[in-house]
Each structure stands twice: as C-alpha cells, then as structure tokens.
Amino acid sequence: MTKTPKTMTAAEALNHVQSGMTVAFPHLSAEPTALTNALWDRADTLSDLTVISGMLLSGYGFLSRPCAKNIRFKTWFLPGTLLRKTAPDVQAEYLPMTWAQTARYLDDSTFDVGLIHVSPADADGYHSFGVCCTAAKGIANSSTYLIAQVNPNMPRTLGDSRIHASQIDALVEAEEPLAEYPNRPLDDVDATIGRQIGDLIPDGAALSLGVGGIPLAAAQALMDRGARDLRFINTFTDPTMALIKAGCATAENPKAHTGDIFGSKDLYDWVADNDAIALASALTTHRPEDFVARKNVVSVNSALEIDLMGQVNAETIGGKQTGSMGGLIDFAVGGQVEGGQFILGLRSQTNKGRPRIVTRLDGDIVSLSRTFVETVVTEFGVADLRGKTVHERALALAEIAHPDDRDALRAHAATLH
C-alpha cells in the first residue's frame, strides 16, 4: 500500500502508540533513539505495551523508570559482557533464536508500530537503512504503522538497504551521532590467540569475524601475514574495514555482505556510498543454502566457556541469562559445509582467574552441542577435535587449558569414554 508520510515531532509520532500494542525497533547503532526516548515518555501513560528489540547501546535505563511497569520487553540479544554491570538487572523476556531464525521471526510477525532509523531521502524518494538490514528491513516490512527517524548522520549504504518514503507513515527529523561500539584494547593474550586463529584462515575464505578482542587480534594477524582474496559476511566492524584497507580482500565488489555495521565514527563515514559494502539480510547470509553457495566459509566465534565434552555456553553467567546466541549456531552449521571452518576462540581463564575450559557448564543451558565444535583455540594452543573420541576430545581440550587447571581437567577426562 502506498502511503504519504507526514513529518512531525517524535512526541507527535509516538502518540500513535496505544495500550496493548506491540512496538519493534532495530538494535545497536541502528536504534532510533530520538524515537525510543519518546516511546519511554509515552509508555508512562499506557498499559500492556510489548516492546521488541535487540542489544541496546543506549542502555536499559527505561527499565528503571516508572514506565517499566507498563512494558513487556522482549529481546533477541541481551547485553552480555558489553554491559555486564547492568545485564543481570535487565528484566527482559529472551527470544532464544539463531540469527537466521530472528530474521524469519521479524519477517513473519506483525507489529502494530515499527520504529526505524534512516538517512535522508535521495532524489527518487528512497531512504537508506544505513547500518542495519536484517532487523530494520524485517521490522519495516512487518509493521502496520511505520515511523522513521531521519538522521543526516546515517550513512547511505548500498545493497539491500533502501526503503521508499511511500512505505513510511511518519517522518521525524532528528540529527544525532550514531552510537559507537566500544572496542577494548588488545592485550598479549588476545594477540596470542589471534595469531593462532590467523594461521587457520586460508586466503580466499568467506570470513565472519564476530565481535570482541579475539576477532580483532585475528584480523591484525591476517594483516601481518598479508592475507589475500578474503570476502566478508555477517557483522561489519572496524577490524573488517582495516582488512579491506590493508588489501586483504578480494578485488571484486562488493567485498562484504553484512546485515549490521557497528563500530567507530570513522567506520560509519567509510561505509557511506562505498561499493565495497553491500547490506544483506541474514536470510541471504546465514542459511545452510547460503553457506553451500559461498563455500569456504570460515567463522571466528567466541564463548563464555566450554566443557570437556565440547559443549559450549555462550549465554549464561552464574546460571543467569546474560548473553545470546546470535549467529553462533548458524555458523556452526556453516562449518560443516565442504571447505568450511567453525573456529571457537576463548581465553583460558576469566579476568578473575576462573577457568573457561570446565568439567561442567555453568547453569543448565547448552548454547551449542558438542557435535559442531571442531576447532578450539586458547592462548595455550589449538585443539582439533575432529575424528576424536569423547576421551580424546577431553584430553585435547585439557591440554590447551590454563596450566593451573590442567591436572584437574586431565583427571576428569580419564573418566570420560
């Protein structure tokens, strides 16, 4: 249906939200904070409001406000270690889905109101989703009433990133900087893990780097090695930009298909009108058929801990849900395609000295079953679990654990057959 959007203030636009409605908006640097701030003000006067989104870089202060009693907050991605101090206090209902499943969920749902964050329109009336495809596009297509924050700081990106003004009900012009995603400085442990992972990634791979210190270190190792002909899928962050700038990518464009771009302001400036980058939904990058079509898909993934069986916990701390699966399972499946690799990198201990290779996982949640876990890397080495028995796998994992933890792990491994 063709619409004629009206320009109004955020407060005026959010007056459309009524009690009992469901409101959805994208996450990370694509959150339209001028609209969400107005939503929290509006929620003070409503009841039975369902709000759906992912990880919010703006924080979760709205859940401490009086409006929280009126909100049922559902999320496909809790803040995890990024906002660890607040994560246990986030009163949310978690949607335990892979990233491909999340994309299908957003496409198949119906939301009363959708809030999106876009660039100004071009001469043909098309806005750009900018730094987000999967969530923004799914929400835009599934919302009965669509409100767009129009921000001149939102980069105009290429690929599956356009929405015409005739699909939008209300436009709110609000200029603000995009939220930057914090990258912690690398240390020697990250660098050691990253170098080992870099050695496992062949030239010509379709690479998903993930987020955090270890993928950053792996990217640095690839640049140091002079890797060539890489293609990129999944998230697009500063390390991926650095790899392209360093000449490690394929000469063909686009060099990257991504559903989410988040990082520094330099990154947001660089992706604007850049034909090296194409936005793409997870329904074109994260399905089994996508991995088969691409071939040579190598993913660098992280976890909170792994037990001697090879089972992975990427979601709970102290038995409480604090993280999410994201593309973990999607890429574990991709690692089974011929030429694919699923690499799990983790530090041998936490900052408090607790082991990350354990005899029993924290809590009752297994994020990834042992069957899919084949290559595990810590600062003490690489455990290749392919073709090994339960006992052999356990011993291999014990050997790359922290030296302080190895004897206990070896003793437990002796009981596994």
Side-chain angles (χ1 to χ4, degrees):
M1 181 177 67
T2 300
K3 303 176 181 180
T4 302
K6 297 179 180 179
T7 300
M8 59 187 75
T9 67
E12 289 170 339
L14 270 297
N15 279 336
H16 188 84
V17 178
Q18 302 296 324
S19 295
M21 284 188 170
T22 297
V23 181
F25 58 88
H27 56 178
L28 296 167
S29 47
E31 179 189 350
T33 53
L35 303 182
T36 55
N37 286 333
L39 175 63
W40 313 140
D41 291 339
R42 177 65 177 157
D44 282 335
T45 67
L46 304 177
S47 62
D48 191 27
L49 189 66
T50 300
V51 175
I52 302 171
S53 190
M55 183 191 289
L56 306 182
L57 297 180
S58 63
Y60 298 82
F62 68 96
L63 292 175
S64 301
R65 290 174 48 169
C67 68
K69 67 182 184 299
N70 305 326
I71 295 173
R72 180 187 183 194
F73 180 50
K74 296 182 180 180
T75 183
W76 59 79
F77 210 115
L78 282 163
T81 55
L82 176 66
L83 301 171
R84 183 175 291 180
K85 291 182 179 179
T86 61
D89 302 320
V90 175
Q91 299 303 307
E93 295 183 38
Y94 175 54
L95 295 159
M97 301 182 292
T98 71
W99 193 225
Q101 288 173 335
T102 302
R104 291 192 187 96
Y105 163 76
L106 293 174
D107 273 7
D108 294 343
S109 297
T110 299
F111 308 115
D112 295 300
V113 179
L115 313 177
I116 59 172
H117 197 171
V118 298
S119 73
D122 62 16
D124 297 319
Y126 284 96
H127 299 267
S128 173
F129 290 124
V131 297
C132 180
C133 179
T134 300
K137 183 180 179 183
I139 290 167
N141 290 340
S142 299
S143 296
T144 304
Y145 189 86
L146 186 62
I147 305 170
Q149 176 180 340
V150 182
N151 184 357
N153 290 319
M154 178 63 77
R156 179 172 296 281
T157 51
L158 307 180
D160 191 8
S161 65
R162 300 199 308 170
I163 180 170
H164 197 266
S166 61
Q167 296 174 259
I168 300 170
D169 294 280
L171 298 172
V172 175
E173 296 179 355
E175 181 175 356
E176 58 187 4
L178 298 187
E180 297 187 45
Y181 189 91
N183 283 309
R184 63 179 176 83
L186 292 182
D187 60 18
D188 291 342
V189 174
D190 288 334
T192 299
I193 298 171
R195 281 194 296 270
Q196 295 177 97
I197 291 175
D199 289 341
L200 299 172
I201 300 171
D203 288 350
L207 180 61
S208 168
L209 270 181
V211 180
I214 291 173
L216 176 59
Q220 185 60 57
L222 289 169
M223 287 185 280
D224 292 344
R225 189 190 84 197
R228 290 291 181 268
D229 299 321
L230 298 175
R231 293 162 289 137
F232 304 97
I233 54 175
N234 197 16
T235 56
F236 194 93
T237 59
D238 286 82
T240 318
M241 174 179 69
L243 282 164
I244 293 176
K245 285 184 173 182
C248 298
T250 177
E252 298 176 355
N253 285 328
K255 306 176 195 305
H257 289 90
T258 177
D260 284 295
I261 300 168
F262 51 95
S264 66
K265 183 181 183 302
D266 287 344
L267 174 67
Y268 303 143
D269 291 341
W270 187 79
V271 299
D273 295 309
N274 191 330
D275 57 7
I277 314 303
L279 257 66
S281 166
L283 293 179
T284 63
T285 57
H286 283 60
R287 303 169 303 169
E289 55 264 45
D290 302 324
F291 298 126
V292 171
R294 280 186 168 82
K295 306 184 185 305
N296 301 323
V297 175
V298 179
S299 61
V300 179
N301 308 271
S302 60
L304 295 172
E305 59 182 0
I306 181 172
D307 69 14
L308 290 182
M309 303 289 286
Q311 300 177 126
V312 173
N313 166 28
E315 304 173 72
T316 63
I317 297 175
K320 186 175 180 62
Q321 188 83 41
T322 56
S324 305
M325 287 182 292
L328 183 73
I329 294 177
D330 299 315
F331 282 101
V333 172
Q336 309 310 304
V337 175
E338 185 175 356
Q341 285 191 76
F342 175 82
I343 301 170
L344 190 71
L346 72 168
R347 298 162 75 99
S348 65
Q349 290 187 335
T350 69
N351 292 336
K352 296 182 179 180
R354 295 185 58 184
R356 290 191 182 276
I357 298 178
V358 296
T359 59
R360 183 182 177 86
L361 294 182
D362 169 76
D364 300 318
I365 303 299
V366 175
S367 305
L368 184 64
S369 74
R370 61 184 181 176
T371 307
F372 291 102
V373 181
E374 297 180 336
T375 306
V376 183
V377 184
T378 73
E379 68 270 32
F380 294 106
V382 178
D384 183 352
L385 307 183
R386 289 170 292 187
K388 288 183 168 59
T389 67
V390 171
H391 177 63
E392 291 167 343
R393 288 163 63 96
L395 285 177
L397 288 168
E399 291 307 311
I400 64 167
H402 193 279
D404 293 347
D405 304 320
R406 287 180 195 165
D407 287 345
L409 292 170
R410 288 174 182 137
H412 188 79
T415 69
L416 301 177
H417 300 286

